[in-house]
Amino acid sequence: MEIERCSCTVVHEDVVEKVKDMMPEEERLYDVAELFKVLGDTTRIKIICALFESEMCVCDIADLLNMSQSAVSHQLRVLKAARLVKFRKEGKIVYYSLDDEHVKMIFDLGLLHVSEE
Amino acid sequence: MEIERCSCTVVHEDVVEKVKDMMPEEERLYDVAELFKVLGDTTRIKIICALFESEMCVCDIADLLNMSQSAVSHQLRVLKAARLVKFRKEGKIVYYSLDDEHVKMIFDLGLLHVSEE
DNA sequence: TGAACATATGAACATATATTCATATGTGAG
DNA sequence: CTCACATATGAATATATGTTCATATGTTCA
């Protein structure tokens, strides 16, 4: 028993077929969405934006954003999982920096989009 | 009475100051995060990806993604609010297409990032 | 005008997620 | 070894958000 999803009778089947062939794999699309989801949070965008300028330790970031150390650490974890930031340890201090060159480009394009008009 | 946000004593004040000067306005960062949040959903990414290939009506999209017309319409509303898609009406059919050239570039960079290794 | 249909929308519900709080881990200094 | 400190993490809570269901809007055609 099939669930009726599209009640419309006039579907442009040729278009749908053509598009279906061109669509990347489901998993790829999921991963891309996941990446943008990570970028889609004010706190994380601020962290990334800060790291454009300089590597920073967790305390620096917490101080800059006026947030708790814990909250920052949690978000750095998410950024790290998305391979957006990397870190180096110097004694007990952990310095975070950007892991990727694309991020700057993606961010700039995003900024451009929201800045238009 | 001030809430203690960063309990750390060793903050690199010079770095924090320098970064603070370089940070875009709070509002801009909020908008950028908002844009990526819109891109950060599987359904919406699929819709955008489909529209790379061709304009489509709501029914086409619902059929392609095997989703309800209502769910698709709700998501198109979000995409429209973010100025990512535009539409034209032809009788009772509404055709959606991409509103922006950046989106393709942003998407491709995202795809590149998640495709690496 | 009225029926059929494509799309939009509001409310409700279920799920995801960001921050807080408490605490654990790991490192350097004495 | 022990204390102080920078960071990480788990559980809990509050909030945001995607989909469904029911229904409204608007257009075409008879």
Side-chain angles (χ1 to χ4, degrees):
Chain A
M1 161 164 57
E2 186 93 352
I3 297 171
E4 190 64 36
R5 288 311 195 140
C6 177
S7 58
C8 311
T9 55
V10 186
V11 172
H12 305 77
E13 291 171 18
D14 54 332
V15 172
V16 173
E17 278 311 309
K18 188 179 68 172
V19 170
K20 198 172 282 179
D21 289 342
M22 298 298 183
M23 293 282 279
E25 294 170 34
E26 174 92 13
E27 195 191 331
R28 274 290 156 75
L29 292 174
Y30 180 84
D31 290 343
V32 174
E34 205 58 32
L35 171 65
F36 289 128
K37 194 177 292 178
V38 171
L39 296 174
D41 174 80
T42 311
T43 298
R44 290 192 293 264
I45 272 290
K46 283 180 185 171
I47 293 175
I48 286 173
C49 197
L51 295 181
F52 286 147
E53 191 57 29
S54 169
E55 70 170 10
M56 297 178 92
C57 72
V58 180
C59 271
D60 292 342
I61 298 171
D63 183 77
L64 173 72
L65 304 184
N66 192 37
M67 291 181 63
S68 73
Q69 173 270 322
S70 180
V72 170
S73 184
H74 276 294
Q75 297 304 346
L76 284 170
R77 189 179 208 277
V78 175
L79 290 169
K80 195 163 47 180
R83 297 185 302 115
L84 291 170
V85 303
K86 61 180 191 289
F87 63 93
R88 67 182 179 86
K89 294 189 179 180
E90 195 167 291
K92 53 190 169 187
I93 301 181
V94 181
Y95 292 94
Y96 281 86
S97 58
L98 295 180
D99 189 18
D100 201 272
E101 332 74 51
H102 309 131
V103 193
K104 174 74 172 153
M105 291 189 282
I106 295 175
F107 177 87
D108 285 341
L109 283 171
L111 194 59
L112 184 62
H113 182 83
V114 301
S115 300
E116 280 185 346
E117 174 196 11
Chain B
M1 160 165 56
E2 187 92 354
I3 297 171
E4 190 64 37
R5 287 311 194 139
C6 175
S7 59
C8 311
T9 55
V10 186
V11 172
H12 305 78
E13 293 172 16
D14 53 333
V15 172
V16 173
E17 278 310 310
K18 188 179 66 172
V19 170
K20 196 171 286 181
D21 290 341
M22 297 298 182
M23 291 283 278
E25 294 170 34
E26 174 91 14
E27 195 191 331
R28 274 290 157 77
L29 293 174
Y30 180 83
D31 290 343
V32 175
E34 205 58 31
L35 171 65
F36 288 128
K37 192 176 295 178
V38 170
L39 296 173
D41 173 79
T42 311
T43 298
R44 289 190 294 262
I45 272 290
K46 284 180 186 171
I47 293 175
I48 287 174
C49 198
L51 296 181
F52 286 147
E53 192 56 29
S54 169
E55 71 171 9
M56 297 178 92
C57 71
V58 180
C59 271
D60 291 344
I61 300 172
D63 183 76
L64 173 72
L65 305 184
N66 193 36
M67 290 181 63
S68 71
Q69 173 270 322
S70 179
V72 170
S73 184
H74 276 296
Q75 296 305 347
L76 285 169
R77 188 179 209 277
V78 175
L79 290 169
K80 196 163 47 178
R83 296 187 302 116
L84 291 170
V85 303
K86 62 180 190 291
F87 63 93
R88 69 181 179 86
K89 294 188 178 178
E90 194 167 293
K92 52 190 170 187
I93 301 181
V94 181
Y95 292 94
Y96 281 86
S97 58
L98 294 180
D99 189 18
D100 201 272
E101 330 74 50
H102 310 131
V103 192
K104 175 74 173 155
M105 291 189 282
I106 294 176
F107 177 87
D108 285 342
L109 283 170
L111 194 59
L112 184 63
H113 180 83
V114 301
S115 299
E116 281 184 346
E117 174 192 9

